[in-house]
Amino acid sequence: MANIRDVAKKAGVSVATVSRVLNRASNVSPKTADAVLAAMQELHFTPNGLARGLALNRTRTIALLIPNIVNPLYPEMAKGVEDVAHQKGYNVLLCNTEEDIAKERDYLTMLIERRVDGLILMSTLLTNDNLLQIREYNIPFVLTGRYRQDLEADIVYTDYAYGSYLAVHHLLEVGYQRIAHISGSAIQWESQEKLSGFKKALREAQLTVEAKYIVEGDNEIEGGYLGTMRLLHLSEKPQAIFAANDLMAIGAIDAVKAQGLRVPSDVAVAGFDDIRMSALVEPKLTTVSHPVHKMGLIAARLLFDHIDGGAGEDATQKILLQPKLMVRKSCGHENRLREIFN
Amino acid sequence: MRGETYMDLAVDFMGLKLKNPIMVAAGPLTATGEMLRQAVEAGAGAVVTKTIVNEIRPKVRPRLAALGEGMQNIELYTEFSLEAWEHEIRYAKSHGAVIIANILAHTPSEMADIALRVEKFGADAIELGVACPHGEGLEGLFADPAQLYSFTKSVVQRVNIPVMVKLSPNVTNMAKMAMSAEQAGASAVSAIDTVRAIIGVDLESGRPLLSTYGGYSGPPVRPIGLAAVALISQAAKIPVCGIGGISNSHHVLEYMMLGASTVQLCTSLILNGLDSLSKIIHDLETWLMQHNVADFGQIRGKALQSLKSFEEIKVEPYVAKALQGCSDLSCNLCVRGCIYKAVHKSKFKVTVDQNLCTGCGLCLSVCPDKAFVLEWK
Ligand SMILES: Cc1cc2nc3c(=O)[nH]c(=O)nc-3n(C[C@H](O)[C@H](O)[C@H](O)COP(=O)(O)O)c2cc1C
């Protein structure tokens, strides 16, 4: 079956032009429109739920709401969403909520007014009730980030507690005992889950969780830097620091170096997310992969199931993506095999 | 159809009607719809797609190395998105292909989601491609019976098409893995995927020939595949698809006699070309004709009956004997290969000192002329 790109190629026009023809936009010359229609016929192109879309007055846009556009994690996710949307001939509107529930609500209102065809919300702060209201506008949505048991909605999630547990367990295995945690911003549910994974690993190793070794960060490099400074000034400084995201871990490495200390021989550092930069910083950061690109792909696929009417009677989907420990150099292990078989 | 040698090779496998039991295995030859079509045109009874995943990544270069008869690969998964596979599968199906979609994901829910999608694209069956020795950790899903069970179960519950589980030889007990798949509702298992390997080291540069651990395939892995298929056939009741080192009809029949219902080929088709399929199929027909075998059911598992426990193998007073002289003056394999210094050769005459011979049997298989037999002393 041909897709919109094949049609564009055959007709010698851009995907956008094909899309305009499909939407019966006025700014297409009749000659071009004819060429596109001929190409469609020749390729037996059936506009995937698109004819329906026209009747239903689609805008051929979906929106992605992310918490922080400056964190390189989220563009990875946007790429996943866009990979799929582009193949479907859709645009993606990107909204940066900055972990601000009021801003998130504003965006939602705007998006509903603009009649987007679907929404993907990453780490949303909205309550279940807020979310269910979107349904009244007949706009499908998919949540990504953490699991929500009590909400009948498509969710692509990962296990933040387990991912954190893996990182801390690794630090314990290498031999550290005084392990500190720089947590994510308190407003994010994910931060709570990461903290619980951190505590679980320590308790399992029969270590006490000491309040002085848990500092709150802000999910930014600065928070990691300041949190680490605070930890390094303790009379008994930690041997290892697990930061709730890679940006803070990078801030932590910077702070350790600024104190004239070395990572990992003086202080080990682990992060969470596996942003691309984490494999480039010195030393390369041991972290937990947060499969946001895949999350974006799958969320978009689920969303288009609804938009194209292919979701069927299946109950809502809750798809777990596996967090994975990525062993690199910042924690001072000597297990090269672990790195190779990451 | 070739007149006189025409035989019906058709098989029913997991409810699929195949024109013959020979499939092209997941690999570089099944990477696109067009290649699937070519495989079917070359005679394959079914085709198994390259492993389909949610998240694609570019292929490393180089990623294949052949040495001797074996091949190492460090190739990962498909380079096509799921969206593109919809088109590829439909295309191959429109050319009459029976398609088994090989899929991989990292949680049961993710696996079930991909399975459902490839089913919608028109795949006739699913193979869980969970057995690759590289790219998925040192021991992952493929080595853990409980995980294999839950992944398989979640897919089986989700789709209506049959599900086959591909097994890895890189575990200590393949029978256990096969039973997990069976209990989870799989319709078949296939084995083997590649064997973890480093094919060689370049002495001048001091580097391995490929840049990481990979999977070994081709003729050298066939004995491993044969044992795997025998083990699985004796452990589980679901049908088995034999894979590993098959390059001719003899190999196909060996796998079948050890319990396989169907087989898959990869490396030999890469090295000899898809054209070699038609000869394998033709030879298979001829063999069946000559042996008066009407369908594969008559030979399937035949050799399993003769696999014994050590307790059942009686220690009989066998010794070797040379039946004939040897015309090849330059060949000395029997003499050199005799651990017990029992074989002697002078010019054309070959003798065995039956007082030294312990009946190990090696001379029977090393002699190109098959000049030796075992007899009771
Ligand atoms: C280059 C290459 C790529 C392969 N890719 C896959 C794959 O994507 N998925 C899979 O399940 N098996 C893959 N395999 C394994 C084959 O399907 C098969 O199990 C193995 O090669 C043994 O069979 P053979 O000796 O006939 O090659 C690959 C093998 C080779 C040589």
Side-chain angles (χ1 to χ4, degrees), chain A residues 1 293-294 301 305 317 320, chain B residues 55 83 87 107 109 158:
Chain A
M1 213 176 71
H293 177 249
K294 200 194 251 188
R301 286 175 182 143
D305 286 347
Q317 304 282 322
L320 167 68
Chain B
E55 196 176 30
E83 284 68 30
H87 174 239
T107 63
S109 51
R158 203 65 196 285

Side-chain angles (χ1 to χ4, degrees), chain B residues 13 20-25 46 48 240-244 246 251-253 255-256 260-265 280 284:
Chain B
F13 182 62
N20 66 56
I22 301 184
M23 312 180 190
V24 179
V48 187
V240 183
C241 178
I243 320 173
I246 299 174
H251 304 151
V252 175
L253 291 162
Y255 268 101
M256 289 189 161
S261 299
T262 54
V263 294
Q264 295 180 22
L265 283 68
I280 298 175
L284 209 50

Side-chain angles (χ1 to χ4, degrees), chain B residues 25-28 50-51 64 71 73 75-76 102 127 129 166 192-194 217-218 221 243-246 264-268 270:
Chain B
K50 179 83 194 150
T51 299
L64 304 181
M71 182 189 282
N73 84 82
E75 185 167 294
L76 294 174
N102 180 303
E127 180 179 67
K166 192 166 182 177
I192 53 172
D193 204 312
T194 54
S217 61
V221 310
I243 320 173
I246 299 174
Q264 295 180 22
L265 283 68
C266 179
T267 303
S268 78
I270 297 175

Side-chain angles (χ1 to χ4, degrees), chain B residues 320 332-345 350-360 362-363 372:
Chain B
N332 209 28
L333 289 171
C334 55
V335 176
R336 228 186 307 137
C338 183
I339 303 159
Y340 308 96
K341 308 275 180 260
V343 181
H344 301 283
K345 189 174 171 189
V350 184
T351 51
V352 178
D353 181 341
Q354 296 198 333
N355 289 322
L356 293 177
C357 177
T358 64
C360 77
L362 186 59
C363 52
F372 296 89

Side-chain angles (χ1 to χ4, degrees), chain A residues 10 28 51 63 82 94 118 121 144 173 196 204 223 249 256 260-261 267 289 298 322 332 338:
Chain A
K10 181 114 207 152
V28 184
E82 188 256 353
L94 194 59
L121 300 104
T144 57
E173 243 176 12
S196 75
E204 238 182 57
V256 173
L261 299 171
V267 184
S289 90
I298 298 177
Q322 179 200 42
R338 191 67 185 70

